[in-house]
Amino acid sequence: MSAYPQAGQLVLVPFGRREVVGVIVSVHADSDLPLEKLKPAIAVRAQLSPLSPQWLALCVFAADYYQRPLGEVAVPGLPKNLRALKTTSLDKAIKKLTANTAVHDATPVAMPILNLEQRQAVDTMANSVGFAPMLLHGVTGSGKTEVYLQAAAKVLEDKAAAQVLILVPEINLTPQLEANVRERFPGVLVATLHSGLAEGERMQHWLAAHLGRARIILGTRLAILASLPHLKLIIVDEEHDTSYKQQEGLRYSARDLAVWRAHQLAIPVVLGSATPSLESWYHAQSGRYLKLELRERAVKDAVLPKIGLIDLERRAPRELMTEGVSATLITALQQRLERGEQSLLFLNRRGYAPVINCDACGWISNCQRCSAFLVLHKLDHRLRCHHCGYEQRIPKSCPDCGNVDLQPLGRGTQRIEEGLQTIFPQARIMRIDADSTRRKGSAQEAFDAVHRGEVDILIGTQMVAKGHDFRNLTLVGVLNPDTALFSHDYRASERLFAQLMQVAGRAGRVAQKEGGSVSEVLIQTRFPQHPLFAAIRAHDYQTFAGELLQERQQANFPPFIYQALLRAEAKELKTALAFLQQATTCVDTDGITINDPIPMTMTRVANMERAQLLVECTSRPALQAFLKQWTAALRALKTRVRWSLEVDPVDL
């Protein structure tokens, strides 16, 4: 290694009265600054191989595209323990890695037999040369994971020292995938990267990836910024999922950076989903992405579940409704219990009830800090805001009139759980949501119990809707999906369709047992004639996506236009709106459409009033050029308003 500092090395430098860690971006022999104004680096991390020029280029691109300082991209992508620059801890980590992770031959165990479409997908993924973006569109249960594993095996076998990166949208999906990968590749070092790891553990895995010893890297969106010197294939599973978009700080899309990184390295990238994002589907339809299709379920004789609608307006009112569950759905649950089969009730609303109110005076449990309700969490005896985190004890009487008869309105997962325990006292019922899985490892323990058959009825939010392979689950009940049908967000119907298709896909993933139930999905709705439900019943993503793309094109929405969103926060709404109005005039806007500043849907959060300004352009390069000038002008404005800019926003 060179005795002189190199680009990509970590250094400890003086910064005011502090000492901070930085990354050397470039090295120059001279400087325009006077020598006496330059300060020497305190220490250089010489024992760690420098971060590659390709990694630095990725950070530079992300910083430029998302309009953030380079340091906000490069440094947070490194483990905290590495940034601390403690030489002893790094030396210990490298020694431990060397002792415990000897690289063996990447000889996989026996591979399951694939069907024709799966084999074609594997061959295409593994044999592609150069930059090759692909969309793997496969119905739920079609064996996309098996395709990923066998494509990875071919890449590792054919390319010496190759690395494969597999991204999943959420942390709770990594244990199942990691178990499958480790079982399939017993001689291969596997690294896992996500925010749920302890810092020491994260540094171990990051080092294994950076030093090239880990050949398969699994992770959430964070992993796309990892140092991977021998990367040869990128796989983005459930590519449609909005969890790939960071929603604070550097608001990057891991899926989009995956495509850029594959282009940079001239390698294949695979985006997989049963319900692709409209952007990816549009690229596949236009030929920019190669479309690979898996039309059938991978398990022989396993078929897609039958989807039925329960009309809450015409049918269910005449039936007995128990805590929001219709008699039809209760009967279906009873049938599964009698046959020893599992059921899933999906409700994307945690807590006991969305709100409590007083019938006497009309008081309602509003959050004093946000434009939102305090949600009743009965088991904790608390009212809690899901936006700012504020909580309080449940009042014994109405704060306004003193009435002691306060009533819950609406239903969350806790209330559904309580109601079903009354109906089925002998059933083993489990709830999986953000409240029941706060403790580290508790989510995986819960899913393991389901897989072991220790749960009869599972109640859950979106945590249970995707990626999980429940082998004995034959019934899915969907409660209250209607709120998304008439949302102001133009992406709402796309997300609801994906959510329903994903949760429906948890049923019927194995062949029907003799005498067993036909796999079924029952959706309770007041709008059974809505076109979205017709597409869901037919499992027809292609027609639904085609119609949505036509609507987007007519309305001039993405992917037919490019957007950026400027958000502002202040103590008073008028201050935030005034700042946004000022922002519309601080640079030339020729060729750019700037919409009027408006309050955000959730206007107040944590006592801060919020507003937004949408910017649009038909040319991405033109929008980027404008944003570069605009950001510089905004930073020069003297204001106490907190503002942030998001490129390619997913929530308006």
Side-chain angles (χ1 to χ4, degrees):
M1 183 177 292
S2 171
Y4 296 98
Q6 303 175 57
Q9 283 186 314
L10 296 181
V11 289
L12 184 65
V13 295
F15 189 77
R17 297 182 179 180
R18 297 182 295 140
E19 296 178 353
V20 299
V21 173
V23 180
I24 299 176
V25 177
S26 61
V27 178
H28 297 276
D30 51 21
S31 171
D32 295 334
L33 292 173
L35 189 61
E36 62 271 13
K37 290 190 175 182
L38 296 177
K39 296 181 180 180
I42 299 169
V44 177
R45 181 71 89 192
Q47 73 270 49
L48 183 68
S49 58
L51 296 154
S52 70
Q54 292 82 8
W55 184 84
L56 288 173
L58 172 69
C59 293
V60 169
F61 168 78
D64 286 346
Y65 186 81
Y66 294 108
Q67 307 298 321
R68 304 296 295 186
L70 179 57
E72 287 190 16
V73 182
V75 176
L78 305 174
K80 285 185 179 179
N81 286 3
L82 195 63
R83 286 181 260 158
L85 213 73
K86 295 178 181 177
T87 304
T88 54
S89 63
L90 178 60
D91 290 339
K92 289 180 181 178
I94 292 177
K95 285 182 180 179
K96 185 176 180 180
L97 187 66
T98 303
N100 298 337
T101 58
V103 178
H104 304 292
D105 292 334
T107 304
V109 297
M111 298 283 186
I113 298 175
L114 302 179
N115 60 36
L116 177 61
E117 288 182 330
Q118 287 177 309
R119 290 198 304 272
Q120 290 174 339
V122 168
D123 291 341
T124 302
M125 292 163 59
N127 299 328
S128 294
V129 178
F131 175 56
M134 298 170 238
L135 176 65
L136 180 62
H137 177 219
V139 300
T140 54
S142 59
K144 291 187 289 294
T145 301
E146 188 58 43
V147 168
Y148 301 152
L149 296 181
Q150 296 207 21
K154 281 181 172 286
V155 170
L156 298 184
E157 182 180 357
D158 296 342
K159 298 177 176 66
Q163 292 179 306
V164 175
L165 172 63
I166 305 177
L167 298 180
V168 293
E170 295 181 4
I171 292 175
N172 71 72
L173 296 177
T174 56
Q176 179 176 292
L177 178 60
E178 183 177 357
N180 290 337
V181 171
R182 292 188 184 280
E183 180 182 2
R184 186 63 60 84
F185 301 95
V188 177
L189 179 59
V190 178
T192 305
L193 294 172
H194 56 71
S195 60
L197 297 175
E199 287 304 324
E201 190 178 12
R202 181 184 169 192
M203 186 164 80
Q204 284 283 331
H205 287 257
W206 186 92
L207 279 173
H210 170 68
L211 298 176
R213 298 180 184 177
R215 301 194 65 194
I216 300 178
I217 298 87
L218 313 175
T220 55
R221 62 173 180 258
L222 177 74
I224 194 58
L225 296 173
S227 172
L228 304 169
H230 308 300
L231 187 58
K232 299 301 179 186
L233 173 65
I234 303 176
I235 295 168
V236 184
D237 192 28
E238 309 290 4
E239 66 86 29
H240 67 279
D241 200 296
T242 56
S243 297
Y244 282 120
K245 186 69 182 288
Q246 173 76 15
Q247 290 300 315
E248 57 187 27
L250 173 69
R251 288 175 161 85
Y252 68 95
S253 165
R255 179 199 64 198
D256 295 348
L257 286 184
V259 175
W260 189 91
R261 194 169 188 178
H263 180 269
Q264 173 202 34
L265 300 175
I267 62 174
V269 56
V270 180
L271 311 180
S273 177
T275 54
S277 65
L278 283 191
E279 288 81 1
S280 297
W281 185 256
Y282 174 68
H283 292 324
Q285 295 298 93
S286 65
R288 182 177 176 184
Y289 293 173
L290 175 64
K291 184 167 66 173
L292 308 173
E293 292 196 275
L294 304 177
R295 300 177 183 86
E296 299 178 355
R297 290 202 148 178
V299 176
K300 186 178 180 181
D301 297 328
V303 296
L304 292 170
K306 178 183 177 183
I307 297 179
L309 303 177
I310 300 174
D311 189 341
L312 295 183
E313 285 294 325
R314 297 184 179 180
R315 180 179 179 183
R318 297 192 299 269
E319 299 180 350
L320 175 64
M321 293 282 287
T322 305
E323 292 297 355
V325 183
S326 66
T328 300
L329 187 50
I330 290 173
T331 299
L333 290 168
Q334 181 64 47
Q335 291 172 349
R336 269 63 185 189
L337 287 171
E338 292 171 354
R339 292 172 178 162
E341 299 167 354
Q342 293 174 316
S343 302
L344 164 64
L345 287 188
F346 174 73
L347 174 64
N348 206 21
R349 177 181 286 163
R350 60 191 175 99
Y352 185 84
V355 67
I356 60 173
N357 87 313
C358 172
D359 288 336
C361 71
W363 173 86
I364 200 163
S365 57
N366 289 304
C367 177
Q368 297 178 357
R369 302 170 57 188
C370 303
S371 304
F373 298 123
L374 292 177
V375 178
L376 172 61
H377 288 255
K378 187 176 179 181
L379 298 179
D380 300 330
H381 305 288
R382 310 292 286 178
L383 293 174
R384 185 174 297 135
C385 178
H386 291 173
H387 298 278
C388 72
Y390 171 79
E391 60 179 68
Q392 66 180 53
R393 291 191 63 84
I394 301 171
K396 295 181 179 179
S397 61
C398 175
D400 288 352
C401 72
N403 176 29
V404 296
D405 188 20
L406 299 178
Q407 296 296 322
L409 293 180
R411 294 169 182 84
T413 50
Q414 291 180 9
R415 191 170 183 180
I416 298 298
E417 178 186 26
E418 182 182 270
L420 288 180
Q421 286 173 340
T422 301
I423 301 170
F424 304 113
Q426 304 303 318
R428 298 169 297 177
I429 300 173
M430 176 176 285
R431 172 173 51 88
I432 299 182
D433 56 24
D435 297 312
S436 67
T437 57
R438 290 182 181 178
R439 180 175 51 84
K440 183 177 180 180
S442 58
Q444 187 55 37
E445 291 174 6
F447 285 119
D448 287 344
V450 179
H451 290 303
R452 290 193 300 266
E454 297 171 3
V455 176
D456 298 316
I457 301 175
L458 174 62
I459 303 165
T461 58
Q462 60 181 351
M463 289 181 64
V464 305
K466 54 203 167 192
H468 300 288
D469 194 8
F470 302 129
R471 311 300 289 179
N472 192 38
L473 194 145
T474 61
L475 173 67
V476 172
V478 180
L479 311 180
N480 195 26
D482 293 343
T483 53
L485 292 176
F486 306 101
S487 170
H488 71 282
D489 188 347
Y490 69 89
R491 298 181 189 269
S493 59
E494 175 189 358
R495 291 174 181 168
L496 178 59
F497 184 91
Q499 196 174 65
L500 294 180
M501 288 297 291
Q502 292 289 335
V503 73
R506 298 315 103 205
R509 299 176 74 89
V510 297
Q512 181 184 349
K513 300 176 183 178
E514 185 176 351
S517 303
V518 174
S519 295
E520 189 176 20
V521 179
L522 296 176
I523 302 174
Q524 296 187 168
T525 176
R526 286 182 167 79
F527 306 96
Q529 304 306 319
H530 195 285
L532 181 143
F533 291 125
I536 290 287
R537 297 187 72 178
H539 299 274
D540 189 359
Y541 170 83
Q542 185 164 341
T543 299
F544 179 76
E547 292 173 351
L548 274 189
L549 279 175
Q550 288 182 358
E551 292 178 6
R552 297 273 181 93
Q553 188 170 23
Q554 292 169 359
N556 211 22
F557 285 151
F560 302 99
I561 202 167
Y562 304 100
Q563 298 178 328
L565 192 67
L566 179 63
R567 296 185 177 94
E569 296 183 359
K571 289 293 185 182
E572 295 184 352
L573 182 59
K574 64 180 181 181
T575 305
L577 290 170
F579 168 80
L580 294 178
Q581 189 62 51
Q582 183 183 9
T584 65
T585 60
C586 63
V587 293
D588 180 24
T589 59
D590 186 39
I592 304 294
T593 300
I594 298 187
N595 295 278
D596 292 335
I598 59 172
M600 293 181 62
T601 304
M602 184 66 64
T603 306
R604 187 174 72 255
V605 171
N607 289 325
M608 295 296 288
E609 302 290 335
R610 311 189 305 163
Q612 65 184 32
L613 175 68
L614 182 64
V615 177
E616 299 176 301
C617 186
T618 55
S619 166
R620 177 173 279 160
L623 179 61
Q624 280 290 311
F626 165 77
L627 292 178
K628 194 174 188 66
Q629 297 179 14
W630 200 33
T631 303
L634 291 173
R635 287 173 179 157
L637 293 178
K638 294 182 179 180
T639 179
R640 294 185 177 181
V641 172
R642 293 192 308 199
W643 60 272
S644 62
L645 184 67
E646 180 178 1
V647 181
D648 303 330
V650 295
D651 291 308
L652 298 180

